[in-house]
Amino acid sequence: MDQERNHHLNPHQMALKQVEIAAAHMDLDPGILAKIMATEKEITVHFPVKMDDGQVRIFTGYRVQHNDTRGPYKGGIRYHPEVDADEVRALAMWMTWKAAVVNIPFGGAKGGVQCYPKEMSAREMENMTRRFTWELHTFIGPERDIPAPDVYTNPKVMAWIMDTYSILKGHVVPGVVTGKPLELGGSLGRFEATGRGVFVTAAQAAALLDLPLAGARVVIQGAGNVGGVAAAQFAAAGARVVAISDSKGGLYNEKGLDVEQALACKNRYQCFLSEHVPAREVTNEELLTLPCDILVPCALGGVIHAGNADYIQARIIAEGANGPTTPQADAVLRGRGVFVVPDILANAGGVTVSYFEWVQNLQNLLWSEQEIAQRLEGIMRGAFAEVHRISRERGVDMRTAALILGIGRVAAAVRLRGIYP
Ligand code: NAD
């Protein structure tokens, strides 16, 4: 069935393939193209952590700094057993294009630690985070590289990073990470930002396709930070969230789920499947091909591939997750007329409000929630309109258009700075 998976384009090869596709529509200097396809710095660390049973375990962590031509490196840190160098390389490159698509003056980076966060105690997570921060501390900083939350990291993890980094510097440095708790210089609206941006861009796509949001059937994969907020936003707009999932599986009710109840159950009991939520259980694979109008992948990469793209019933895919769709699936979806709002546009709300947080930290200012929400919405709407204009003018899909915009901005910056010496 799944040839592409057997051939196994790893995430980094996927990211490079996307650049090749976009570059074919651009008139880029080959030297500049080679420069922006390469990662600038790759840090791999193997570090010891004392576990609760007194044993020392060695963890492997990565920080890949793809490109800082337009500003300091920026990107999340992921804790997951499948984290590897190729995944982090891809995620770092997507961060560079994403910041450029929304015209935020950041470069792109990403980090991760290979671990099973669900099997670790809070103390083990803290020890691992603090030691990883120590390993990275000469490479990160508010003017150098600014981490943020990603899969299975959260504001608490950011607080540990900020604290460890501040101790090493001898003074408090809130701007070293974003996505912090509000009490430590986090920004209002940061927790909601990515899911909010996914909703805003999906709503714009729906308007283009004359699909009324009220009553539209929405399927969401992943009910974490991004998926949970997006689900709540769709429900508040009158859409019917018919399915939602976590790593263990999903719930489906064609009449629509009570999103608040489903999320409350997850938050309270660390599980979804409650007798109080009338629904049938589905696997994460089944969930993607359920009848719906809008599909919102908000978990891991590579889930929409050559083996299932033909069976996706949604008219719109809004990519909350990074890299959920492989290049071969993209071609199938394009052929079938599915409107894809690509990750580097749809989930750019996160980096946008991270930028607001960083600016507030550097200036010791606090912006109001309303100011942040308005600025975020303006940027997301503007970026969507720009990407859609390129898509129409060049006759390309939205992903290629977003890449043309993002890569074009980075390439222009490289050209202006020149190649040293
Ligand atoms: P999170 O840890 O808060 O949530 C992840 C969710 O995915 C959880 O509900 C988890 O149960 C679920 N999940 C894990 N493995 C799964 C699987 N195999 N199948 C289905 N569900 C699974 O993480 P998050 O921050 O919400 O990130 C989700 C996605 O969004 C990632 O791809 C991330 O890179 C991307 N993203 C996050 C942000 C951000 O601001 N947090 C910004 C841009 C993009």
Side-chain angles (χ1 to χ4, degrees), residues 319-334:
E319 297 183 334
N322 284 307
T325 310
T326 67
Q328 276 179 274
D330 262 334
V332 174
L333 296 169
R334 193 164 50 241

Side-chain angles (χ1 to χ4, degrees), residues 78 150 152 190 194 223-226 246-247 284 298-299 320-322 347:
R78 178 176 289 198
D150 194 76
Y152 296 141
R190 172 61 186 91
T194 310
N225 172 222
V226 181
D246 65 9
S247 59
N284 265 301
C298 295
N322 284 307
N347 70 36

Side-chain angles (χ1 to χ4, degrees), residues 21-190:
I21 293 169
H25 298 272
M26 303 170 76
D27 186 22
L28 287 174
D29 176 276
I32 290 182
L33 180 60
K35 157 84 186 96
I36 63 178
M37 283 176 92
T39 51
E40 289 174 354
K41 223 172 272 146
E42 302 187 354
I43 303 138
T44 304
V45 290
H46 306 285
F47 59 96
V49 176
K50 204 176 271 177
M51 308 302 278
D52 288 348
D53 62 4
Q55 306 250 6
V56 170
R57 193 181 302 165
I58 305 297
F59 287 87
T60 298
Y62 306 91
R63 186 74 183 168
V64 172
Q65 298 175 329
H66 170 250
N67 191 294
D68 72 348
T69 310
R70 299 179 64 259
Y73 299 111
K74 184 86 189 83
I77 290 185
R78 178 176 289 198
Y79 289 170
H80 196 270
E82 280 159 29
V83 163
D84 64 19
D86 281 314
E87 181 181 77
V88 182
R89 279 185 193 117
L91 291 163
M93 181 180 277
W94 288 325
M95 283 306 299
T96 305
W97 312 145
K98 190 182 302 181
V101 165
V102 282
N103 215 359
I104 295 292
F106 279 144
K110 202 82 179 191
V113 178
Q114 228 174 57
C115 63
Y116 288 86
K118 285 183 192 165
E119 292 170 15
M120 294 169 68
S121 70
R123 194 208 313 219
E124 289 170 340
M125 290 283 274
E126 178 171 351
N127 289 349
M128 185 182 82
T129 301
R130 288 187 182 277
R131 178 63 191 234
F132 185 47
T133 306
W134 182 84
E135 299 285 343
L136 291 185
H137 80 274
T138 54
F139 300 100
I140 61 175
E143 281 152 8
R144 191 166 293 176
D145 182 355
I146 308 130
D150 194 76
V151 176
Y152 296 141
T153 54
N154 54 29
K156 195 158 140 196
V157 173
M158 297 306 114
W160 292 328
I161 297 178
M162 180 263 205
D163 183 66
T164 308
Y165 185 85
S166 297
I167 288 169
L168 289 164
K169 288 287 157 188
H171 58 95
V172 63
V173 191
V176 65
V177 282
T178 58
K180 293 179 292 293
L182 288 180
E183 296 84 345
L184 293 176
S187 176
L188 290 166
R190 172 61 186 91

Side-chain angles (χ1 to χ4, degrees), residues 3 11 31 67 89 121 174 218 238 250 255 261 293 295 321 347 361 379 390:
Q3 275 205 341
N67 191 294
R89 279 185 193 117
S121 70
V218 180
K255 295 199 180 84
Q261 207 172 38
D293 301 300
L295 173 62
N347 70 36
N361 292 157
I379 288 176
I390 295 170

Side-chain angles (χ1 to χ4, degrees), residues 110-397:
K110 202 82 179 191
V113 178
Q114 228 174 57
C115 63
Y116 288 86
K118 285 183 192 165
E119 292 170 15
M120 294 169 68
S121 70
R123 194 208 313 219
E124 289 170 340
M125 290 283 274
E126 178 171 351
N127 289 349
M128 185 182 82
T129 301
R130 288 187 182 277
R131 178 63 191 234
F132 185 47
T133 306
W134 182 84
E135 299 285 343
L136 291 185
H137 80 274
T138 54
F139 300 100
I140 61 175
E143 281 152 8
R144 191 166 293 176
D145 182 355
I146 308 130
D150 194 76
V151 176
Y152 296 141
T153 54
N154 54 29
K156 195 158 140 196
V157 173
M158 297 306 114
W160 292 328
I161 297 178
M162 180 263 205
D163 183 66
T164 308
Y165 185 85
S166 297
I167 288 169
L168 289 164
K169 288 287 157 188
H171 58 95
V172 63
V173 191
V176 65
V177 282
T178 58
K180 293 179 292 293
L182 288 180
E183 296 84 345
L184 293 176
S187 176
L188 290 166
R190 172 61 186 91
F191 186 81
E192 296 77 16
T194 310
R196 174 78 191 148
V198 170
F199 168 75
V200 168
T201 53
Q204 278 176 287
L208 274 176
L209 302 189
D210 284 327
L211 172 70
L213 267 191
R217 296 161 304 163
V218 180
V219 167
I220 299 195
Q221 183 178 62
N225 172 222
V226 181
V229 171
Q233 296 267 323
F234 278 107
R240 252 189 304 155
V241 177
V242 293
I244 191 161
S245 69
D246 65 9
S247 59
K248 299 181 207 88
L251 290 175
Y252 173 54
N253 182 339
E254 62 186 13
K255 295 199 180 84
L257 296 164
D258 182 334
V259 170
E260 209 177 311
Q261 207 172 38
L263 293 175
C265 166
K266 180 171 170 68
N267 294 338
R268 202 167 318 145
Y269 304 111
Q270 303 293 306
C271 83
F272 246 123
L273 309 173
S274 156
E275 58 199 50
H276 305 300
V277 183
R280 118 173 133 77
E281 290 179 30
V282 289
T283 65
N284 265 301
E285 188 64 31
E286 273 175 77
L287 175 122
L288 296 167
T289 56
L290 288 170
C292 69
D293 301 300
I294 305 175
L295 173 62
V296 194
C298 295
L300 301 176
V303 293
I304 302 174
H305 46 75
N308 61 10
D310 266 318
Y311 306 108
I312 283 178
Q313 303 191 48
R315 291 176 67 194
I316 295 169
I317 299 178
E319 297 183 334
N322 284 307
T325 310
T326 67
Q328 276 179 274
D330 262 334
V332 174
L333 296 169
R334 193 164 50 241
R336 297 185 49 230
V338 179
F339 191 101
V340 177
V341 189
D343 46 9
I344 58 170
L345 171 62
N347 70 36
V351 75
T352 302
V353 178
S354 273
Y355 169 66
F356 299 163
E357 180 173 332
W358 178 74
V359 168
Q360 291 172 83
N361 292 157
L362 295 189
Q363 301 186 338
N364 293 312
L365 281 177
L366 292 178
W367 299 359
S368 72
E369 195 156 12
Q370 191 192 13
E371 190 171 357
I372 287 161
Q374 271 170 3
R375 284 180 192 249
L376 171 65
E377 186 136 350
I379 288 176
M380 295 307 294
R381 286 181 174 280
F384 185 97
E386 213 162 342
V387 171
H388 187 241
R389 178 183 57 75
I390 295 170
S391 156
R392 267 184 305 145
E393 284 176 6
R394 308 273 186 111
V396 294
D397 59 36

